[in-house]
Each structure stands twice: as C-alpha cells, then as structure tokens.
Amino acid sequence: MRKVIFALSLVTLTLTSCGTKKKIAALEAQNKECQDLLNSTTVKLNLCLSEKEALSKQNDYLKQNNSDLINNQKELTLLTSKGAQNLEKSLESLKEKDLKITRLQDALTRKDSVTLALVTSLKSSVGISDPDIEVNVDKGVVFISIADKLLFKSGSYVVSDRAKEVLAKVAKVINDKPTFECMVEGHTDNVPFTGNAILVDNWDLSVKRSTAIVRVLTKDLKVNPKQLIAAGRGEYIPLVENNTSENRSINRRTRIVILPKIDEFYEMIEKEMKNQKK
C-alpha cells in the first residue's frame, strides 16, 4: 500500500515538474518577445526623438527664415517707397532744370536779338556801311574795329582825310555818351618795322597810330580827353595767322573799345528792346 502511494506521489511530482517547466518555457518565450518588442520600440523611439529634434531645428530655421523674409519685405517696401519718392524728386528736379534751360535759352535768344539790334543801332550811328568797319558787342563792351587801310598809309601813322570822316561818326557816338570811356588800340601785322629816327618797331608804330587817332578825336572832333585811353598792342593779338598778305591786312587795324557803365549799357538795351516792339 505504501509502495502504491509512493508511486502515485512520484508520478504526481513528475507531472507537476513537467507542467512548471512548460510554464517557465512559455514565460521565457513571452519575456523574449516582450524584450524584442521593447528593443524594437526603443529603437523606434530613439529614431522618433532624432526626427523630432531635426524637425524642431528645421522648424526653428523656418521660423527665423520667415521672420527674415518678413523683415526683408518690410525693408523692400520701405526702399521701394523711398525709391519712388526719390524718383519723384528726381523727375521734379529734371523738370525744374528743363524749365531753367528753357528760360536760359529764351534769355539768350532775347539777348542775341537785342545785341544784334544794338550793333545795328551803333552801325547806324557811325553812319557807314563798310566791310572794313566792324561793330561788335560782348559782355557790355562795344568794339568798333577799323581796318588800317581806311586810316593810314602803309608804315605811316599820319591819319588820312578819309579816316577823319569815319572818326567823325565814331566821335558822335562817344560824345553822345559823355560818361563812357573809350580805349583806342593800335594793332599791326608781324612784318618787322624797319625803324627810323622816331619809331623802333611795330609796337612803337601801333602806339603812335593810337595816339594819332586820339589827337584827331580830341583836337578836331572835340571828344573829351578824359574819356580816351591810348594803347598799342603791336603784332601780339592777331585776328588770323599772318601767313598771307590778305591776313596781314586783316590784322592791321585800330580797335576802339567803348566801355559803358553797366547801368547805362542796360539802358541802351532797354531802349533797343522798346524800339523792337514798335
């Protein structure tokens, strides 16, 4: 009986031991699956954390970039606004310059026309229409240039009778303007003067011709000597090159420079402008 009980107990223990091993094996298998799942999940978690960090950095970059773009847009808008303002100012400035240029051109046109009228008036006062007598006006100064062939013989400083007729007309212009000053300039060509007991060179000749004309104007034509200046320029201010006889003839001249006061010069201009309107 005891043997039977012992045998049954042994069988029961053996069966119990086999069931525990199976449970343990099942638990170990389950534990391994859990561990594998945990490892896989950990890897995925780490990957997700890395992606999250990268996305976070990208998000920060995009935020900064967006902020920069917004600032750039504001600056661009500001610059565009300033550019438009500057462009508008530039256009206004150009319009003002164009207006000034137009006014200057109009003024120059009027000045040219008045100058022409003034020259015509002076030529009319001189009373001789001759290509050897030239009248010009420049910056308020009147220039009357007379070719020497009307005034002197070659190499001489004796005023001719025909010259006195011309100088009488010039004297009338000067006497009509008692406050004007007049400089009488003698000019020669570059042919050397041979000289004599009185004259040494072309400079001497130009001075003597100038003083000879001054004497005619003062003694014969009653011009106030205080208005006159005698000057000799010799050969040193030619109008053209002294390379032909014709050019040398052009350079031999006497120039009478009439120097009005500025206010009187403008009075002359106003008078001529009024004459133009009539």
Side-chain angles (χ1 to χ4, degrees):
M1 188 64 181
R2 288 181 180 177
K3 290 181 180 180
V4 173
I5 292 172
F6 177 75
L8 288 172
S9 297
L10 184 60
V11 171
T12 301
L13 182 61
T14 300
L15 290 173
T16 301
S17 177
C18 288
T20 300
K21 286 181 179 180
K22 286 180 180 181
K23 287 181 181 180
I24 290 173
L27 290 172
E28 286 178 350
Q30 188 177 2
N31 182 60
K32 184 175 182 306
E33 288 179 3
C34 290
Q35 188 64 42
D36 291 342
L37 181 60
L38 177 62
N39 291 337
S40 175
T41 303
T42 301
V43 170
K44 290 180 179 180
L45 176 61
N46 291 334
L47 182 60
C48 288
L49 290 174
S50 299
E51 289 179 353
K52 179 184 177 183
E53 184 178 359
L55 289 172
S56 178
K57 290 180 179 179
Q58 186 176 5
N59 185 52
D60 292 340
Y61 170 77
L62 290 174
K63 284 182 179 180
Q64 184 62 43
N65 192 43
N66 185 56
S67 177
D68 292 340
L69 287 173
I70 291 172
N71 291 332
N72 289 338
Q73 185 179 9
K74 289 180 181 178
E75 291 177 1
L76 184 59
T77 302
L78 182 61
L79 288 173
T80 302
S81 176
K82 288 183 177 179
Q85 292 174 359
N86 292 335
L87 181 59
E88 186 176 353
K89 289 180 181 178
S90 297
L91 290 173
E92 289 177 359
S93 177
L94 285 173
K95 288 180 181 177
E96 289 178 2
K97 287 180 180 178
D98 287 341
L99 184 59
K100 287 180 181 178
I101 290 171
T102 301
R103 287 175 178 171
L104 284 173
Q105 288 174 339
D106 291 343
L108 288 173
T109 301
R110 289 195 298 271
K111 174 182 173 293
D112 290 341
S113 120
V114 169
T115 298
L116 178 61
L118 189 55
V119 169
T120 304
S121 174
L122 286 170
K123 282 188 175 180
S124 176
S125 297
V126 173
I128 295 178
S129 178
D130 194 311
D132 293 320
I133 301 175
E134 192 174 309
V135 181
N136 294 304
V137 178
D138 184 26
K139 296 179 181 177
V141 180
V142 180
F143 301 93
I144 302 174
S145 185
I146 307 172
D148 270 8
K149 63 184 179 181
L150 294 179
L151 302 174
F152 308 100
K153 292 180 180 180
S154 178
S156 171
Y157 55 88
V158 177
V159 180
S160 68
D161 291 336
R162 187 186 175 195
K164 291 179 182 179
E165 294 176 9
V166 176
L167 292 175
K169 304 297 182 180
V170 174
K172 182 179 182 303
V173 175
I174 300 172
N175 288 332
D176 286 343
K177 304 293 180 184
T179 59
F180 285 17
E181 286 189 342
C182 301
M183 182 163 60
V184 181
E185 293 181 348
H187 296 262
T188 69
D189 58 27
N190 68 340
V191 177
F193 186 74
T194 55
N196 54 34
I198 300 174
L199 303 178
V200 177
D201 52 21
N202 281 330
W203 216 329
D204 269 0
L205 178 60
S206 68
V207 172
K208 289 295 286 183
R209 285 180 170 177
S210 174
T211 54
I213 291 173
V214 166
R215 288 191 184 94
V216 171
L217 290 171
T218 55
K219 293 182 178 180
D220 299 341
L221 303 171
K222 308 306 178 184
V223 174
N224 186 349
K226 293 181 179 180
Q227 290 182 254
L228 300 177
I229 304 166
R233 309 302 295 265
E235 63 196 71
Y236 301 105
I237 308 179
L239 294 176
V240 292
E241 290 187 26
N242 286 293
N243 53 5
T244 65
S245 59
E246 183 179 350
N247 282 0
R248 286 191 290 273
S249 175
I250 293 172
N251 289 330
R252 293 191 301 271
R253 68 200 187 278
T254 296
R255 189 170 73 161
I256 299 174
V257 184
I258 302 177
L259 308 166
K261 294 180 180 178
I262 294 298
D263 55 345
E264 294 184 2
F265 178 73
Y266 283 111
E267 284 178 9
M268 292 171 66
I269 289 179
E270 287 177 3
K271 181 180 177 181
E272 291 305 321
M273 289 181 72
K274 289 178 181 178
N275 290 338
Q276 282 186 324
K277 291 178 180 179
K278 291 180 181 179

